[in-house]
Amino acid sequence: MKKYFTCGLVFLFALLCGPFSQGNGFDFPEPFPPTPFNTSTKQRTYIIHAPINDLTEFRELVEQVSVLKPFGRVLVNISTLAEKSFYEIPKGRNFWHEYASYNPTPYKFYPDDKIKPYIPQRFVENNRKLILAKAEILRQHNLKAAFWSYEPNFLPPEFFNEYPHLMGPRVDHPRRNNKPAFAPCLSMEETQLMNQNMVRKLLTEVPEIETFFFKTNDAGSGICWSDWQYTGPNGPQHCKEQSMGQRVRTLMETFKKGAGEAGKEIEIYLTGSMFSDEERADIYEHLPQDCYFQSHNSDEVRGIGSGIVSKYPIRGFFHPLKIIEDIGSLIEDDPGTVFISFRASYDRGYENYHSRGQLIDFLLEYLKRDGVVNSDILLQEYCEKWVGGGLQDRLYKAFRTLEEVEEFRKSEVKGLSNLYWTVSTRHITRPLVFNPLLLTPEEESYYLPFVFNPSEKEAREDYVDIHGSRRELNYEGGQEYAARLDEIAIEMEDIAATAGKVKEMRDWITGVRLQSSLVRSAVHFSEAQRIIDRNRDKLTKGPDRPDKVPTWKGDEDLLLFNDVMRKELDNSQTLIVLLEAGGMDGIAHADHPFYEDTFLLGPDLVDQLKRKRRIMLDHWTDIERFLKTPLK
């Protein structure tokens, strides 16, 4: 059985085995110009990123990507934590800490002596055990390693109680948390020495690491006085006048000094980070040698990713034409470094074996043909390979239609995100009812603790509070998008059955079906909230019997809400059937209830969906206490 991740933006001690520990041998008792890159002296580098901590699956990944060795240097990220950092999440609804709870950083593997007392020893030991085991697997396959992290990562408050002079910026998000979090100040020599020592220890023990790539100013990390700090630019007064380029240069040089002390030369990439335009320009001016700032793709450093990057929690959403075109664009630009991501946000999941292999296969085709590839022709070739028997044209057309449908989503269902709408709001499992205040604590118990909101009241009452701001989705556009996905799934099911390839195409079809269901939930809750908002005065006034004046239709909003409510009830039943038929393999989830969190669904997802339906039916007539019913 495949293991699933249990994040952040992403270290506990429990007797229970979860998705990060189960099966791996660990026991837990408790628009700027591109950066210069000399391609004439440096072969292309491929950096693979998948947050896998099961060693069997990691070995499978390594074997999959080893086929790229003839075409360049292949590095695999090995910084995934063995366990979630439960110790750093304050009690209460501190959901910002959930972003960061799987964040890798050197101090979680080889902490400096100053930090060591504030990090659980067994947590560190298990992280070390995992990274060393991964390094051994890479040695066996003659591959090198990369280390992904968030820098400078926030530290426990107890650390700053002991070393208050090292406190840097507040890095948490005030709308998403109830407790502050602070990162160390990079300008302090003690901070620099800590980083230097930790990198030296890390590379001495794991010499396979040749590259660091990190993110900052988001999900648990941040730099003093940056424009992008969520609370506003902040930090100690003594470093306020330093430029952002100087700060980033200091961090990179500190890492390079630590590597030098270990006898290593490393490359450093600042990726996916958030800075103002002025800060970006300054960072480019201060980059040390072999250090690169690629907050966005450039001609020299490019990235590609699988479906889980945008469709989490779905594993196996296969969009071949997009992948082929992305690879074609990448090869045409001839970058020196290619990041290949099979990672979901906050390290909560990773792409399945089949979809990883298909992306690598497409990339190989381009490399073997020296980039001279027509995307349409390549997809047609693969359709013939996959189904043949005269069915390839139908399959090609289905994938072409999927391209059109995804373009429709971008224009007509703006703001849609499975991760933020259906998962972290728990739209997927919470009951859609007219007045959530009428639910009992027991009825709320299985979903409300996981709804991303620092306020329990807002989590309970507002379906469209998405991480601190109110959002809405195009209801009609979402319904059409889902319906067109269903049509594609039906066509692919018929092709698979006719070709005798039901098993081979199951992942693709399941991914499309899951996406249809998740988007339906999102737009249902968005539309329901619109109706609730229109009738806020009646909800505030309280339950009241309708008057006795005959009315053919009753209150129009009652009919509209009942329609949305019924659609979500039926959608949940459709999803139950899909999951019970093997669809759980296509959705990232925890292996044990203990590891369910705001970004990770529980292993009892089907039972939760059934519970959702029962509660909705129990509260089906609640709305009739507030809005007028028909009398015919």
Side-chain angles (χ1 to χ4, degrees), residues 319-339:
H319 192 347
L321 191 56
K322 180 182 186 303
I323 295 174
I324 289 172
E325 290 177 342
D326 285 349
I327 293 174
S329 175
L330 180 155
I331 296 298
E332 183 178 353
D333 290 338
D334 192 26
T337 300
V338 176
F339 285 90

mmCIF file of all heavy atoms in Angstrom, residues 319-339:
data_model
loop_
_atom_site.group_PDB
_atom_site.id
_atom_site.type_symbol
_atom_site.label_atom_id
_atom_site.label_comp_id
_atom_site.label_asym_id
_atom_site.label_seq_id
_atom_site.Cartn_x
_atom_site.Cartn_y
_atom_site.Cartn_z
ATOM 1 N N HIS A 319 -2.704 15.567 -17.169
ATOM 2 C CA HIS A 319 -2.976 16.603 -18.164
ATOM 3 C C HIS A 319 -1.816 16.571 -19.156
ATOM 4 O O HIS A 319 -0.946 17.449 -19.141
ATOM 5 C CB HIS A 319 -3.060 17.942 -17.445
ATOM 6 C CG HIS A 319 -3.608 19.069 -18.259
ATOM 7 N ND1 HIS A 319 -3.771 19.004 -19.622
ATOM 8 C CD2 HIS A 319 -4.043 20.310 -17.898
ATOM 9 C CE1 HIS A 319 -4.255 20.132 -20.065
ATOM 10 N NE2 HIS A 319 -4.431 20.952 -19.043
ATOM 11 N N PRO A 320 -1.767 15.561 -20.038
ATOM 12 C CA PRO A 320 -0.556 15.302 -20.831
ATOM 13 C C PRO A 320 -0.154 16.426 -21.762
ATOM 14 O O PRO A 320 1.040 16.699 -21.918
ATOM 15 C CB PRO A 320 -0.905 14.032 -21.608
ATOM 16 C CG PRO A 320 -2.398 13.997 -21.642
ATOM 17 C CD PRO A 320 -2.839 14.597 -20.342
ATOM 18 N N LEU A 321 -1.123 17.094 -22.390
ATOM 19 C CA LEU A 321 -0.758 18.135 -23.345
ATOM 20 C C LEU A 321 -0.068 19.294 -22.638
ATOM 21 O O LEU A 321 0.913 19.854 -23.145
ATOM 22 C CB LEU A 321 -1.997 18.622 -24.097
ATOM 23 C CG LEU A 321 -1.701 19.520 -25.306
ATOM 24 C CD1 LEU A 321 -0.778 18.824 -26.291
ATOM 25 C CD2 LEU A 321 -2.998 19.939 -25.986
ATOM 26 N N LYS A 322 -0.551 19.659 -21.447
ATOM 27 C CA LYS A 322 0.097 20.727 -20.692
ATOM 28 C C LYS A 322 1.516 20.334 -20.321
ATOM 29 O O LYS A 322 2.452 21.133 -20.441
ATOM 30 C CB LYS A 322 -0.691 21.060 -19.431
ATOM 31 C CG LYS A 322 -0.054 22.176 -18.601
ATOM 32 C CD LYS A 322 -0.833 22.461 -17.343
ATOM 33 C CE LYS A 322 -0.259 23.670 -16.611
ATOM 34 N NZ LYS A 322 1.185 23.523 -16.274
ATOM 35 N N ILE A 323 1.697 19.095 -19.851
ATOM 36 C CA ILE A 323 3.037 18.637 -19.475
ATOM 37 C C ILE A 323 3.966 18.664 -20.684
ATOM 38 O O ILE A 323 5.106 19.142 -20.614
ATOM 39 C CB ILE A 323 2.972 17.224 -18.871
ATOM 40 C CG1 ILE A 323 2.190 17.241 -17.554
ATOM 41 C CG2 ILE A 323 4.380 16.673 -18.639
ATOM 42 C CD1 ILE A 323 1.964 15.871 -16.965
ATOM 43 N N ILE A 324 3.489 18.154 -21.813
ATOM 44 C CA ILE A 324 4.305 18.113 -23.025
ATOM 45 C C ILE A 324 4.684 19.528 -23.463
ATOM 46 O O ILE A 324 5.841 19.795 -23.825
ATOM 47 C CB ILE A 324 3.545 17.369 -24.147
ATOM 48 C CG1 ILE A 324 3.464 15.868 -23.822
ATOM 49 C CG2 ILE A 324 4.225 17.575 -25.497
ATOM 50 C CD1 ILE A 324 2.570 15.087 -24.776
ATOM 51 N N GLU A 325 3.715 20.438 -23.451
ATOM 52 C CA GLU A 325 4.004 21.802 -23.878
ATOM 53 C C GLU A 325 4.954 22.502 -22.906
ATOM 54 O O GLU A 325 5.824 23.274 -23.314
ATOM 55 C CB GLU A 325 2.699 22.579 -24.028
ATOM 56 C CG GLU A 325 1.863 22.110 -25.229
ATOM 57 C CD GLU A 325 0.528 22.826 -25.331
ATOM 58 O OE1 GLU A 325 0.100 23.424 -24.318
ATOM 59 O OE2 GLU A 325 -0.087 22.770 -26.416
ATOM 60 N N ASP A 326 4.780 22.244 -21.603
ATOM 61 C CA ASP A 326 5.701 22.819 -20.615
ATOM 62 C C ASP A 326 7.123 22.326 -20.838
ATOM 63 O O ASP A 326 8.086 23.105 -20.771
ATOM 64 C CB ASP A 326 5.248 22.460 -19.195
ATOM 65 C CG ASP A 326 4.039 23.254 -18.748
ATOM 66 O OD1 ASP A 326 3.676 24.227 -19.445
ATOM 67 O OD2 ASP A 326 3.455 22.901 -17.705
ATOM 68 N N ILE A 327 7.262 21.040 -21.101
ATOM 69 C CA ILE A 327 8.590 20.478 -21.341
ATOM 70 C C ILE A 327 9.165 21.041 -22.637
ATOM 71 O O ILE A 327 10.360 21.381 -22.716
ATOM 72 C CB ILE A 327 8.529 18.944 -21.395
ATOM 73 C CG1 ILE A 327 8.160 18.390 -20.014
ATOM 74 C CG2 ILE A 327 9.865 18.360 -21.864
ATOM 75 C CD1 ILE A 327 7.921 16.887 -19.995
ATOM 76 N N GLY A 328 8.334 21.167 -23.657
ATOM 77 C CA GLY A 328 8.802 21.724 -24.919
ATOM 78 C C GLY A 328 9.315 23.139 -24.764
ATOM 79 O O GLY A 328 10.376 23.501 -25.301
ATOM 80 N N SER A 329 8.586 23.955 -24.017
ATOM 81 C CA SER A 329 9.026 25.324 -23.764
ATOM 82 C C SER A 329 10.319 25.333 -22.974
ATOM 83 O O SER A 329 11.227 26.136 -23.248
ATOM 84 C CB SER A 329 7.926 26.074 -22.996
ATOM 85 O OG SER A 329 8.347 27.361 -22.630
ATOM 86 N N LEU A 330 10.417 24.446 -22.018
ATOM 87 C CA LEU A 330 11.626 24.351 -21.199
ATOM 88 C C LEU A 330 12.845 23.988 -22.052
ATOM 89 O O LEU A 330 13.889 24.639 -21.977
ATOM 90 C CB LEU A 330 11.393 23.293 -20.119
ATOM 91 C CG LEU A 330 12.489 22.965 -19.112
ATOM 92 C CD1 LEU A 330 11.848 22.413 -17.841
ATOM 93 C CD2 LEU A 330 13.464 21.920 -19.646
ATOM 94 N N ILE A 331 12.706 22.953 -22.868
ATOM 95 C CA ILE A 331 13.822 22.498 -23.694
ATOM 96 C C ILE A 331 14.236 23.573 -24.691
ATOM 97 O O ILE A 331 15.423 23.793 -24.958
ATOM 98 C CB ILE A 331 13.458 21.198 -24.422
ATOM 99 C CG1 ILE A 331 13.211 20.070 -23.413
ATOM 100 C CG2 ILE A 331 14.541 20.798 -25.403
ATOM 101 C CD1 ILE A 331 14.414 19.720 -22.559
ATOM 102 N N GLU A 332 13.266 24.288 -25.218
ATOM 103 C CA GLU A 332 13.568 25.350 -26.191
ATOM 104 C C GLU A 332 14.412 26.445 -25.562
ATOM 105 O O GLU A 332 15.309 27.004 -26.199
ATOM 106 C CB GLU A 332 12.255 25.932 -26.726
ATOM 107 C CG GLU A 332 12.458 26.994 -27.800
ATOM 108 C CD GLU A 332 11.145 27.525 -28.340
ATOM 109 O OE1 GLU A 332 10.087 26.976 -27.971
ATOM 110 O OE2 GLU A 332 11.178 28.497 -29.126
ATOM 111 N N ASP A 333 14.155 26.743 -24.290
ATOM 112 C CA ASP A 333 14.922 27.784 -23.611
ATOM 113 C C ASP A 333 16.304 27.306 -23.187
ATOM 114 O O ASP A 333 17.158 28.128 -22.841
ATOM 115 C CB ASP A 333 14.158 28.270 -22.375
ATOM 116 C CG ASP A 333 12.926 29.068 -22.742
ATOM 117 O OD1 ASP A 333 12.880 29.594 -23.866
ATOM 118 O OD2 ASP A 333 12.007 29.151 -21.904
ATOM 119 N N ASP A 334 16.525 25.993 -23.151
ATOM 120 C CA ASP A 334 17.815 25.403 -22.815
ATOM 121 C C ASP A 334 18.376 25.933 -21.492
ATOM 122 O O ASP A 334 19.480 26.488 -21.439
ATOM 123 C CB ASP A 334 18.814 25.665 -23.950
ATOM 124 C CG ASP A 334 20.092 24.814 -23.800
ATOM 125 O OD1 ASP A 334 20.009 23.744 -23.168
ATOM 126 O OD2 ASP A 334 21.150 25.249 -24.291
ATOM 127 N N PRO A 335 17.636 25.755 -20.394
ATOM 128 C CA PRO A 335 18.114 26.259 -19.106
ATOM 129 C C PRO A 335 19.255 25.426 -18.554
ATOM 130 O O PRO A 335 19.410 24.251 -18.890
ATOM 131 C CB PRO A 335 16.874 26.132 -18.212
ATOM 132 C CG PRO A 335 16.146 24.964 -18.787
ATOM 133 C CD PRO A 335 16.359 25.034 -20.273
ATOM 134 N N GLY A 336 20.039 26.022 -17.690
ATOM 135 C CA GLY A 336 21.124 25.288 -17.053
ATOM 136 C C GLY A 336 20.631 24.403 -15.925
ATOM 137 O O GLY A 336 21.245 23.386 -15.609
ATOM 138 N N THR A 337 19.519 24.814 -15.299
ATOM 139 C CA THR A 337 18.969 24.047 -14.179
ATOM 140 C C THR A 337 17.475 23.859 -14.381
ATOM 141 O O THR A 337 16.770 24.798 -14.751
ATOM 142 C CB THR A 337 19.208 24.769 -12.841
ATOM 143 O OG1 THR A 337 20.604 24.939 -12.634
ATOM 144 C CG2 THR A 337 18.628 23.963 -11.681
ATOM 145 N N VAL A 338 17.018 22.637 -14.121
ATOM 146 C CA VAL A 338 15.596 22.313 -14.232
ATOM 147 C C VAL A 338 15.122 21.729 -12.906
ATOM 148 O O VAL A 338 15.648 20.706 -12.451
ATOM 149 C CB VAL A 338 15.324 21.303 -15.366
ATOM 150 C CG1 VAL A 338 13.852 20.906 -15.383
ATOM 151 C CG2 VAL A 338 15.749 21.875 -16.708
ATOM 152 N N PHE A 339 14.169 22.387 -12.286
ATOM 153 C CA PHE A 339 13.527 21.845 -11.087
ATOM 154 C C PHE A 339 12.306 21.038 -11.513
ATOM 155 O O PHE A 339 11.457 21.538 -12.255
ATOM 156 C CB PHE A 339 13.094 22.960 -10.146
ATOM 157 C CG PHE A 339 14.229 23.599 -9.387
ATOM 158 C CD1 PHE A 339 14.914 24.690 -9.905
ATOM 159 C CD2 PHE A 339 14.612 23.096 -8.156
ATOM 160 C CE1 PHE A 339 15.951 25.284 -9.205
ATOM 161 C CE2 PHE A 339 15.661 23.684 -7.444
ATOM 162 C CZ PHE A 339 16.329 24.774 -7.970
#
